Amino acid sequence: MNAAKGVAIGIVVLILIGVIATASVKIVDSGHRGVLLHWNAVDLTQPPLDEGLHFVVPFQDEVVNIEVRTLKYASDARSASRDLQTVETTVTVNYHPDKERVHTLYKNLGLDYENRVIQPAIEETVKQVTAKYNAEELITKRPLVKQDIEAAITERLNQFNVVTDVISITDFEFSPLFAQAIESKVEAEQNALRAENDLRRIEVEARQREANAIGLANANIAEAKGEAEAIAIINKALSENPNYLEWLKTQAWDGKLPLVVGEGGTPFIQIPMAP
């Protein structure tokens, strides 16, 4: 009887030891940080627990695992532009909790911080930013709008110890009628720009043709002027030196004796005379 009672007590002691040992050891999973709780109150006096094995006070302390790897949250947002056009867009936020501030995050928001903070931040930010632009600017200035939304969401989430990695924004969607009107306007502007470029090209080509014509005319004038000056020089030489005509005859003779020669024995050569 005493032996059986001793065995039972031993078993109970072993169970108690096992329970205490289990309650004393906490494991923080990979990619997580541990929030230490004392009687369910968050301990802010020390940083969050790193990955691995940790010993705590049994039955008093608990450890809450919070994932700190990059997470993804997508939200559909409906808003209105400055000219009261309805705009629909999808914003995707890649984020992670601040690894050194997850205990504060848990204390203030708990584990459901996505629905409490991230979704409202996206919806309110998109409404505030799109209200600054008209519908056409949301299309033509999309990079600037995206930059404003990213900056506003990042600033807002940082206040809650949530760090944004990447924010993606899909194309803004409008009603089919308005989208068609915008497309027609953009097409008309492109056609007008194309026509303006064609007009500039035609003007440049016309100026080039005009310049070529002026250059050709100047060349012809210079050639005619040169011929006139040459004739004037010849006439002057003839009037000042009668023997110059005979010299010209000898320069123009090809060395063949003609059938008829002049009185001086020099072949008759036609010398062009100025009128």
Side-chain angles (χ1 to χ4, degrees):
M1 189 71 177
N2 290 333
K5 185 177 180 180
V7 171
I9 294 174
I11 294 175
V12 171
V13 171
L14 290 176
I15 292 175
L16 289 175
I17 293 174
V19 171
I20 293 173
T22 302
S24 301
V25 177
K26 301 296 180 183
I27 297 176
V28 178
D29 299 332
S30 176
H32 292 67
R33 289 294 184 271
V35 177
L36 181 62
L37 306 180
H38 298 307
W39 303 113
N40 289 332
V42 177
D43 182 6
L44 299 178
T45 61
Q46 61 180 0
L49 303 179
D50 292 330
E51 304 170 357
L53 187 67
H54 297 273
F55 294 96
V56 298
V57 179
F59 310 114
Q60 170 189 306
D61 297 341
E62 289 291 338
V63 175
V64 178
N65 276 265
I66 297 182
E67 187 172 6
V68 293
R69 290 175 292 200
T70 298
L71 304 171
K72 177 180 178 181
Y73 186 87
S75 175
D76 295 328
R78 178 187 290 266
S79 58
S81 62
R82 189 173 58 189
D83 51 355
L84 302 181
Q85 293 293 332
T86 301
V87 185
E88 294 184 1
T89 186
T90 299
V91 179
T92 302
V93 179
N94 290 343
Y95 70 95
H96 67 270
D98 188 339
K99 298 178 180 180
E100 303 302 324
R101 303 287 297 173
V102 290
H103 48 351
T104 303
L105 172 66
Y106 180 78
K107 177 179 177 62
N108 296 332
L109 300 173
L111 295 176
D112 192 28
Y113 60 89
E114 280 190 346
N115 294 327
R116 290 187 176 186
V117 172
I118 297 180
Q119 181 177 2
I122 293 175
E123 293 178 352
E124 294 177 11
T125 298
V126 170
K127 290 180 180 179
Q128 292 174 358
V129 173
T130 54
K132 299 179 182 179
Y133 300 87
N134 59 42
E136 183 178 350
E137 289 174 336
L138 291 176
I139 298 175
T140 58
K141 299 181 179 180
R142 184 174 181 272
L144 180 59
V145 177
K146 181 177 182 293
Q147 180 179 349
D148 290 346
I149 292 177
E150 289 179 349
I153 292 178
T154 298
E155 181 180 1
R156 187 178 180 90
L157 293 183
N158 282 344
Q159 298 176 359
F160 299 98
N161 302 305
V162 176
V163 180
T164 57
D165 298 324
V166 178
I167 299 177
S168 302
I169 301 174
T170 60
D171 292 335
F172 295 100
E173 296 182 0
F174 304 91
S175 65
L177 182 61
F178 182 79
Q180 183 178 1
I182 291 294
E183 182 179 355
S184 299
K185 180 177 180 179
V186 173
E187 183 178 358
E189 292 176 349
Q190 291 177 345
N191 291 336
L193 180 60
R194 188 180 301 109
E196 182 179 354
N197 291 335
D198 290 341
L199 178 60
R200 291 178 180 175
R201 177 179 53 79
I202 293 173
E203 291 177 350
V204 171
E205 292 177 352
R207 287 196 295 268
Q208 290 177 344
R209 289 194 295 269
E210 181 181 0
N212 292 336
I214 292 175
L216 181 60
N218 291 337
N220 292 334
I221 292 173
E223 182 179 0
K225 183 178 179 180
E227 293 179 354
E229 291 177 352
I231 292 175
I233 292 173
I234 293 175
N235 289 337
K236 183 178 179 181
L238 287 174
S239 62
E240 295 179 354
N241 188 358
N243 295 327
Y244 181 67
L245 179 61
E246 295 298 326
W247 181 82
L248 288 177
K249 291 179 181 180
T250 59
Q251 292 299 316
W253 183 35
D254 58 2
K256 296 181 181 179
L257 293 176
L259 296 177
V260 180
V261 295
E263 181 179 355
T266 302
F268 288 110
I269 301 174
Q270 297 296 326
I271 302 299
M273 301 296 291

